[in-house]
Amino acid sequence: MTTATHSSVTETAVKRAIPMNVFRQSAPLRTVCLENRELVGPGGVGTVRHLVFDTSAGPYPFLEGQSAGILPPGLDANGKPHKLRLYSIASTRHGDTGDGKTLSLCVRRLEYPHPETGETVYGVCSTYLCGLKVGDEVDVTGPTGKAMLLPDDPAATIVMLATGTGIAPFRAHLWRMFRENNPDYEFRGSAWLIFGIPTTPNILYREELEDFRQHANFRLTYAISREQKNAKGGRMYIQDRVAEHVGELWELLQRDNTHVFICGLRGMEDGIDAAFEAHTAPLGIQWAEYRKHLEKSHRWHVETY
């Protein structure tokens, strides 16, 4: 893996001031598509693309865990401009090339049956992005979001729970922890990613994730719903993995510097809560109240959709 060294002065300055809405819908940043590649392997489900955009016309400052707004061209059925869509940024502030002049997105093409006709409907913005060609121009707003920012403490314990494209902010986190050489952020804590996907070919960024396994302080657990079975013999979802490891996760939460990040489908939240509730109830602890304590302490981070 390549590494890059970045100025600690720049790092600290950017970290102190969280950039927010530097570019707005009325005055977006015009970027250029540099890369658009498929992330789902043969035999996988759906289409997910890794996109890289040139932001050198900016600059476009952002922190790991923030989101970018995309303005798809054209008009909707009512003749009005399409609404802005937000996507988690999948790269660090330095971008995939390390020069701070790009940002990356991880986009699944939305497909669903029409409730009346049954015909397949494709999402406006995701279809637009997945169909981009190198050289195409794209209007970007933002950045926005504070919920998924990494803590400043480089010795923190980071637990990441992701489904599908919810891996995007965690790719940025993991690059910052293990791939880059940042003088002001030398990660010496521990990171654990539990990643839920339907099939093995749907393990997004699989090569990168497997490469991170070389680090003793990184742990990777998959929940592959259509291939693995849970304790009851049903499909293995991310909440089942949480239930499987809930004792260990609960012990980690007793540390003041443990942070849990949840990103992906909103449906997994209830199952995660149920797993912790089942574990804490015999201890005389109400999980809902404890989770509120974690939220107030800025140690429970959620971004679901």
Side-chain angles (χ1 to χ4, degrees):
M1 277 189 170
T2 58
T3 59
T5 301
H6 308 288
S7 165
S8 60
V9 175
T10 301
E11 294 276 340
T12 303
V14 172
K15 188 63 177 178
R16 286 199 188 113
I18 300 172
M20 292 288 290
N21 296 311
V22 178
F23 294 93
R24 299 181 178 274
Q25 193 162 346
S26 58
L29 174 66
R30 181 64 55 86
T31 70
V32 178
C33 180
L34 298 178
E35 180 181 343
N36 182 355
R37 62 182 169 90
E38 180 62 57
L39 293 175
V40 178
V45 180
T47 293
V48 179
R49 312 292 294 189
H50 178 73
L51 298 124
V52 180
F53 300 97
D54 179 355
T55 60
S56 58
Y60 185 95
F62 65 91
L63 299 180
E64 298 75 22
Q66 289 194 290
S67 298
I70 301 295
L71 291 168
L75 304 175
D76 63 19
N78 297 317
K80 297 182 179 180
H82 289 297
K83 293 182 179 179
L84 177 79
R85 268 75 164 188
L86 291 175
Y87 292 89
S88 296
I89 299 174
S91 55
T92 72
R93 67 193 74 176
H94 306 295
D96 285 6
T97 55
D99 60 5
K101 296 180 179 179
T102 67
L103 69 79
S104 301
L105 300 180
C106 176
V107 179
R108 178 180 71 89
R109 186 177 67 181
L110 178 62
E111 303 178 25
Y112 60 93
H114 190 281
E116 297 177 359
T117 66
E119 295 181 359
T120 301
V121 179
Y122 298 95
V124 172
C125 196
S126 63
T127 299
Y128 160 64
L129 288 172
C130 289
L132 288 174
K133 296 180 175 58
V134 172
D136 285 350
E137 295 183 334
V138 178
D139 287 337
V140 177
T141 68
T144 187
K146 298 180 181 180
M148 303 299 286
L149 299 181
L150 275 174
D152 292 336
D153 181 9
T157 296
I158 308 296
V159 177
M160 297 165 281
L161 310 176
T163 58
T165 54
I167 192 66
F170 302 145
R171 178 182 186 259
H173 291 349
L174 292 170
W175 271 51
R176 184 155 174 80
M177 293 174 190
F178 300 118
R179 187 160 183 167
E180 296 182 337
N181 181 17
N182 299 300
D184 78 322
Y185 185 79
E186 298 176 8
F187 185 68
R188 58 183 183 277
S190 63
W192 185 0
L193 170 64
I194 303 179
F195 191 13
I197 57 278
T199 70
T200 296
N202 284 92
I203 301 176
L204 310 178
Y205 305 108
R206 184 180 184 184
E207 186 175 338
E208 293 180 14
L209 296 178
E210 295 295 338
D211 196 35
F212 289 138
R213 283 185 190 264
Q214 67 179 294
H215 299 276
N217 54 343
F218 175 62
R219 182 173 174 182
L220 176 61
T221 304
Y222 295 124
I224 309 177
S225 63
R226 301 189 187 184
E227 299 174 12
Q228 299 172 333
K229 299 294 184 183
N230 61 25
K232 297 181 180 179
R235 288 187 172 187
M236 174 65 77
Y237 293 108
I238 191 167
Q239 54 266 37
D240 298 310
R241 285 294 186 213
V242 170
E244 187 178 275
H245 298 285
V246 70
E248 188 175 359
L249 290 167
W250 174 248
E251 288 184 12
L252 291 177
L253 282 176
Q254 305 317 297
R255 303 176 186 175
D256 289 340
N257 67 343
T258 292
H259 291 253
V260 174
F261 290 83
I262 301 174
C263 190
L265 296 175
R266 185 172 288 116
M268 65 175 162
E269 290 182 69
D270 289 345
I272 291 170
D273 282 333
F276 278 106
E277 187 174 1
H279 183 77
T280 57
L283 304 176
I285 298 172
Q286 291 187 335
W287 168 248
E289 292 302 314
Y290 193 85
R291 191 190 65 219
K292 288 180 182 178
H293 158 70
L294 295 173
E295 292 168 350
K296 289 180 180 178
S297 302
H298 305 291
R299 294 173 51 209
W300 188 265
H301 314 259
V302 180
E303 193 168 84
T304 54
Y305 41 83

